Amino acid sequence: MKKIYFTGAVFIALLWCGCSKEGRLDFVDTNAPAPMQVSDVKVEATPGGGILTYKLPADLNLAYVKAVYEIQKGVFREAKSSKYTDTLRLVGFGDESIHTVKVYSVAANEKASEPILVELQPKTPPVKSVFESAVFKETFGGVNVAIANPFKADLAIVILKDTTGNDNWVTVRTFYTAATAGDFAARGFDAKSQKFAMYIRDRWNNKSDTLIKELTPKPEIEIPSDTYRKLVLPTDQVELANPGFNIENLWNGLGERRIYASSNASSLPQWITIDLGKKVLLSRFKQYMEQYDHCYTGSGLKNFELYGSNSPNPDGSWASWTLLGEFTTHKPSNLPLGQKTNEDINYACNLGADFYFTTQPDAVRYLRIKALETYSSPGQVVILELKFFGQIVP
């Protein structure tokens, strides 16, 4: 008798395993009718969209509710919501026109009820409101667009240039952002009057109007380093890895290939101060890495802040300093730590890693570099060279 029980148990176990491999089988009644419609639909307009709320029908056939609507001529979108909620969110409108929305109740067999028609007039979509408040002007070596994007919409800021003077427009830069604010610059243009244009596009390909301006990019120069001096303030990093690795090496010329290196026993954050010897309106700067031991590894500078002042407090405190920008050294390949390409090396060590300011800083004479993180060193910071660009202020 025990043998029979054992055999039966094994059979049941095998049967259970076989069934479990088949996965869950849900029965869908293809003959079930479409569910009843939702009722009491209320519409709330939002920027570029809307929110629908409604009462769900007491219908066992209901699987979900969907809305079908046209965001552009011939372009339709759907929004779906399960039977466990009473809200649909509609997005993607690029205007403030009145749109007809069809609301369906749908069964598990995909049979849909007759639609309920509601009208929605979206509020001003971000693609238009952001454009209307954008500031488009000249900057060093090019043009600049500053935006406010309070709804954190996914936007593309497109900058164009008339290449012939006869409205032959070519896109020169496209910036993508979902930040609440942004400051974007397209550079590399001669300091002469030229026609530039700007428009904004969202992820549904809605586009704003196009703003066209005649702008003259500001000229910039590499700031001569013959007046640069180190300024040692209390709290500054003063201990060096070697007496020859001093701050002056930051502007002694790439031909020297002599580095600045703080002590191996130092800790982060740490900072140093430079007196430029004159007031400078900065447009950008370059940082060069030491190629062999500190290029995207070791004590190479990764994350840092740059501060400016015209009258630094001699006690070394921060009250007299203004934050000019927060920066991360870009790695073209995006390879993980310990891996780099020839392009990475050329960019960081020969061409110099470029850094731009999101907001144009005021003219300053003194700079303070605050190192926050290196690539793999616990404290030491190594930099080959720094170059600053902009205009000298009389």
Side-chain angles (χ1 to χ4, degrees):
M1 182 65 70
K2 291 181 180 179
K3 186 174 182 180
I4 294 173
Y5 288 155
F6 175 77
T7 303
V10 170
F11 174 76
I12 292 171
L14 290 172
L15 181 62
W16 181 85
C17 289
C19 291
S20 65
K21 290 181 180 179
E22 292 294 327
R24 175 178 166 178
L25 295 176
D26 290 322
F27 174 73
V28 176
D29 184 357
T30 57
N31 296 317
M36 297 169 58
Q37 295 173 321
V38 298
S39 60
D40 195 21
V41 180
K42 292 181 171 58
V43 180
E44 177 188 349
T46 61
I51 300 173
L52 306 185
T53 56
Y54 43 81
K55 288 184 179 179
L56 293 165
D59 192 325
L60 296 177
N61 286 336
L62 179 67
Y64 63 91
V65 178
K66 74 174 180 180
V68 179
Y69 55 101
E70 189 176 33
I71 59 171
Q72 301 161 20
K73 188 172 180 58
V75 180
F76 291 86
R77 283 187 57 82
E78 287 188 2
K80 294 182 179 181
S81 184
S82 79
K83 63 182 179 181
Y84 302 108
T85 183
D86 62 354
T87 304
L88 279 168
R89 296 182 181 276
L90 315 184
V91 295
F93 296 102
D95 57 41
E96 299 148 272
S97 303
I98 296 174
H99 295 263
T100 299
V101 181
K102 297 180 179 180
V103 183
Y104 298 87
S105 299
V106 186
N109 60 11
E110 294 301 320
K111 288 184 180 179
S113 68
E114 288 297 314
I116 292 178
L117 304 184
V118 297
E119 290 187 339
L120 166 65
Q121 184 173 16
K123 295 181 179 178
T124 304
V127 72
K128 291 180 65 176
S129 60
V130 172
F131 172 81
E132 289 165 0
S133 63
V135 178
F136 186 35
K137 63 182 181 179
E138 69 281 342
T139 189
F140 288 100
V143 294
N144 175 271
V145 180
I147 65 163
N149 182 22
F151 298 107
K152 299 182 180 180
D154 287 312
L155 299 173
I157 292 82
V158 184
I159 299 177
L160 308 96
K161 180 181 179 297
D162 181 4
T163 57
T164 64
N166 296 311
D167 293 329
N168 184 29
W169 295 101
V170 173
T171 299
V172 293
R173 288 294 301 273
T174 301
F175 302 94
Y176 298 91
T177 184
T180 55
D183 208 295
F184 310 97
R187 304 180 193 267
F189 303 103
D190 295 335
K192 64 181 183 180
S193 181
Q194 303 168 70
K195 287 171 69 176
F196 293 91
M198 180 275 295
Y199 71 86
I200 296 177
R201 184 181 70 239
D202 67 17
R203 61 193 179 100
W204 300 282
N205 207 36
N206 295 308
K207 297 178 182 178
S208 69
D209 293 333
T210 300
L211 176 60
I212 299 174
K213 279 192 172 184
E214 190 93 15
L215 298 172
T216 302
K218 295 179 182 178
E220 70 170 7
I221 63 169
E222 181 181 337
I223 306 301
S225 62
D226 56 335
T227 59
Y228 293 8
R229 301 288 183 271
K230 72 176 179 181
L231 178 64
V232 180
L233 297 172
T235 74
D236 279 11
Q237 175 68 34
V238 294
E239 296 180 4
L240 304 173
N242 180 296
F245 296 159
N246 52 57
I247 293 176
E248 289 85 350
N249 290 344
L250 291 174
W251 57 84
N252 64 9
L254 288 171
E256 295 284 340
R257 288 284 162 175
R258 289 186 292 166
I259 63 172
Y260 162 75
S262 63
S263 167
N264 286 286
S266 59
S267 60
L268 295 171
Q270 60 182 261
W271 47 89
I272 56 174
T273 307
I274 301 172
D275 176 4
L276 299 177
K278 58 224 172 216
K279 289 181 74 171
V280 172
L281 193 63
L282 292 172
S283 60
R284 61 188 175 98
F285 64 98
K286 285 178 174 285
Q287 181 218 162
Y288 296 79
M289 289 183 168
E290 189 278 325
Q291 179 172 345
Y292 301 102
D293 298 312
H294 305 284
C295 178
Y296 298 111
T297 190
S299 301
L301 186 55
K302 184 178 182 181
N303 295 318
F304 63 99
E305 297 171 340
L306 184 68
Y307 291 79
S309 177
N310 286 308
S311 182
N313 194 317
D315 67 4
S317 64
W318 289 92
S320 57
W321 292 91
T322 299
L323 178 64
L324 305 183
E326 303 173 39
F327 304 98
T328 296
T329 305
H330 172 62
K331 189 177 187 181
S333 70
N334 288 317
L335 288 171
L337 180 66
Q339 300 179 42
K340 53 182 176 281
T341 64
N342 289 333
E343 181 187 7
D344 294 336
I345 296 170
N346 187 50
Y347 174 72
C349 306
N350 300 319
L351 300 176
D354 284 302
F355 299 94
Y356 295 95
F357 300 96
T358 56
T359 301
Q360 176 61 56
D362 294 332
V364 293
R365 172 172 172 168
Y366 302 93
L367 296 176
R368 208 174 206 185
I369 302 164
K370 184 177 184 180
L372 303 175
E373 182 184 5
T374 61
Y375 276 86
S376 55
S377 166
Q380 185 190 50
V381 173
V382 172
I383 306 172
L384 176 64
E385 187 89 7
L386 291 172
K387 288 185 177 181
F388 298 96
F389 300 82
Q391 295 177 348
I392 299 172
V393 176

